[in-house]
Amino acid sequence: METMANNVAIEKSKTSKIQDVDFDNLSFGSVYSDHMLVCDYKNGEWSAPKVVPYQPITLDPSAKIFHYGQSIFEGMKAYKDEAGKIWLFRPLENWKRLNKSAKRLAIPELPEAYFMDGLNALLQVESDWVPQNPGSSLYIRPFIFASGNGFHASPADEYKFIIACAPSGSYFSGKVKVLIEETYSRAANGGVGYAKAGGNYAGQFYPTQLAAEKGYQQVIWTDDNTHEFIEEAGAMNVFVRIGDTLLTAPTNDRILDGITRKSILDIANDEGIKTEVRKVSVHELVEAAKNGTLKEMFGAGTAAVISPIAGFGYHGEDYDLPELENSYASLLKKRITDIQYNRAEDKFGWRYEVAQ
C-alpha cells in the first residue's frame, strides 16, 4: 500500500528489522534501516522520488557504472534531541555539493525539491531508526551512479539516485598516527579531487595500506606536483594548530570543500581563535614540531566530526604531538555537536528540523 509525504510516494516495508538491532552497540555504517529513497533518470529527466523497502539493486553487466565509474555520493547525519525531534545539519550544502560533483562527472544534476522532499519523506518513515543514545545518529548516504548500459566510453543515458541510511554509534577513532605521503597523490590539478567521486576513495586505499604496514592509521596527502604542501588527512580535511593559530589549506581542484571544515572555520572565528586559510608546507610542520609550536593536528569530516592526530611520520622520523587539556579540537567538536543535537543556540542557522 502506497501513501504520500512531501509529494513523495511511500511503499512501506511489510516487516521491520529494527527489533533485531542493538542500538547500544552500533558500529559505523554496517546496519541498514528498513527503507530507502529511489529516483531514476531516464529519457532526459529525473522521475519523482519514491520511498521503497530497502532492497538489492539489479543491474545489467553492461551498466556503465561498472566500466567508466560515474559514481558520486554524500555523507550526512540525522540527530534526535532529548525531546525526540529530528534534526539535520546544513543539508542544502550536501545537495549543492552533490550537484557540483555531478556536473564534474557529466551526471545530470538533481533538483533541490527531489533531494530535500525525498530526504524528509524518508526520515519521516524511518524516524524510529534515528538513535537517541548519546553520540549516536542516523548516517545518511545519498548517491548517484550510472545505470544506463553500454561499453562505449561516454556518459550514460540513465542514472539512479538513492538515499540509504544506517544507524551508527559514536565514532571513536582513538589516537591516530599519520604518515605524510611522499609518492602517491590523492588528486591532481584539473582532476576530480573536489568532487565526492567514488574513484577518489578507491585510489586512496593502496597508499593507506602501505602506511598501515609501517604502523600508521592514515595518510596525510600532499600536493601532486611537489609533495611539499599538506592537503587532506585520509578522507578528511586537515587542520593544524601552530601556536594559537588554526591553519587549513584552501580548497581547490584537489581538495574537497568539506561542510565540517567550513563550520569549524566559522565557529573558530566566533570563538576568537585566529584562523588562516593558506598553504601549509611539510617543512613548516616539521619545524613547528621540532621547536614545540605545533600544538594540534586533526581531521575534520561528517563521520567523526573531528579526529585528533597524535603524531606523524616523515622521512623515516616520527613526531609526537602534545596532549592538551583544553584543545581547540575538543572545543570545536563540542560547539558543532551541541548545534547538531539541539543542545545549544544555533546562531549560524545551520540546524534543519525534519517534520514528523
Side-chain angles (χ1 to χ4, degrees), residues 179 181 184 201-219 221:
L179 180 66
E181 183 56 54
Y184 296 98
Y201 298 80
Q204 293 185 26
F205 296 153
Y206 177 63
T208 305
Q209 284 178 353
L210 296 179
E213 291 170 6
K214 297 176 181 177
Y216 301 93
Q217 287 76 48
Q218 267 300 349
V219 165
W221 300 105

Side-chain angles (χ1 to χ4, degrees), residues 33-53:
S33 66
D34 289 327
H35 298 85
M36 63 186 192
L37 184 84
V38 178
C39 183
D40 290 302
Y41 181 89
K42 293 182 179 179
N43 301 318
E45 63 181 6
W46 287 102
S47 62
K50 182 178 181 180
V51 174
V52 300

Side-chain angles (χ1 to χ4, degrees), residues 180-182 184-187 220-233 238 240 248-250 252 254-255 278-285 314:
I180 294 180
E181 183 56 54
E182 302 175 62
Y184 296 98
S185 299
R186 177 189 172 274
I220 291 283
W221 300 105
T222 50
D223 68 287
D224 65 307
N225 188 31
T226 66
H227 295 289
E228 291 179 4
F229 298 95
I230 65 170
E231 295 199 331
E232 292 201 348
V238 65
V240 174
T248 193
N252 53 34
R254 304 182 305 276
I255 297 177
R278 63 168 174 84
K279 289 183 176 182
V280 180
S281 71
V282 177
H283 175 75
E284 180 181 7
L285 195 66
Y314 181 66

Side-chain angles (χ1 to χ4, degrees), residues 15-264:
T15 59
S16 175
K17 308 183 293 284
I18 198 166
Q19 67 276 358
D20 300 323
V21 177
D22 182 0
F23 280 90
D24 293 322
N25 294 286
L26 289 168
S27 57
F28 183 78
S30 59
V31 176
Y32 311 104
S33 66
D34 289 327
H35 298 85
M36 63 186 192
L37 184 84
V38 178
C39 183
D40 290 302
Y41 181 89
K42 293 182 179 179
N43 301 318
E45 63 181 6
W46 287 102
S47 62
K50 182 178 181 180
V51 174
V52 300
Y54 186 91
Q55 59 192 272
I57 302 165
T58 301
L59 292 171
D60 193 281
S62 66
K64 290 200 172 186
I65 177 57
F66 300 133
H67 308 280
Y68 304 112
Q70 279 182 291
S71 174
I72 57 174
F73 70 96
E74 277 297 317
M76 48 198 307
K77 290 179 178 178
Y79 311 87
K80 188 173 283 185
D81 66 17
E82 291 181 355
K85 292 182 178 180
I86 297 172
W87 304 89
L88 296 169
F89 184 71
R90 310 187 73 176
L92 282 175
E93 293 297 321
N94 292 99
W95 166 72
K96 291 174 185 175
R97 192 171 62 186
L98 185 75
N99 277 344
K100 187 177 179 181
S101 299
K103 189 172 183 178
R104 181 62 183 84
L105 270 72
I107 294 172
E109 294 179 45
L110 187 77
E112 177 186 341
Y114 284 20
F115 184 91
M116 291 304 299
D117 290 353
L119 181 56
N120 272 281
L122 178 62
L123 291 177
Q124 286 175 33
V125 173
E126 303 291 68
S127 60
D128 289 343
W129 282 90
V130 184
Q132 206 164 5
N133 309 39
S136 298
S137 58
L138 184 68
Y139 184 78
I140 301 167
R141 173 53 60 88
F143 59 104
I144 303 176
F145 63 90
S147 55
N149 303 332
F151 291 148
H152 188 267
S154 60
D157 58 358
E158 295 182 4
Y159 297 85
K160 193 173 284 287
F161 169 59
I162 293 175
I163 303 180
C165 301
S168 298
S170 297
Y171 192 100
F172 295 111
S173 56
K175 290 188 177 181
V176 175
K177 287 188 67 176
V178 298
L179 180 66
I180 294 180
E181 183 56 54
E182 302 175 62
T183 303
Y184 296 98
S185 299
R186 177 189 172 274
N189 288 328
V192 296
Y194 69 88
K196 282 190 76 73
N200 288 344
Y201 298 80
Q204 293 185 26
F205 296 153
Y206 177 63
T208 305
Q209 284 178 353
L210 296 179
E213 291 170 6
K214 297 176 181 177
Y216 301 93
Q217 287 76 48
Q218 267 300 349
V219 165
I220 291 283
W221 300 105
T222 50
D223 68 287
D224 65 307
N225 188 31
T226 66
H227 295 289
E228 291 179 4
F229 298 95
I230 65 170
E231 295 199 331
E232 292 201 348
M236 308 175 82
N237 294 120
V238 65
F239 283 82
V240 174
R241 175 184 172 184
I242 296 178
D244 290 330
T245 302
L246 194 61
L247 311 170
T248 193
T251 55
N252 53 34
D253 284 351
R254 304 182 305 276
I255 297 177
L256 187 73
D257 187 11
I259 296 165
T260 305
R261 172 188 175 276
K262 290 190 285 194
S263 304
I264 285 171

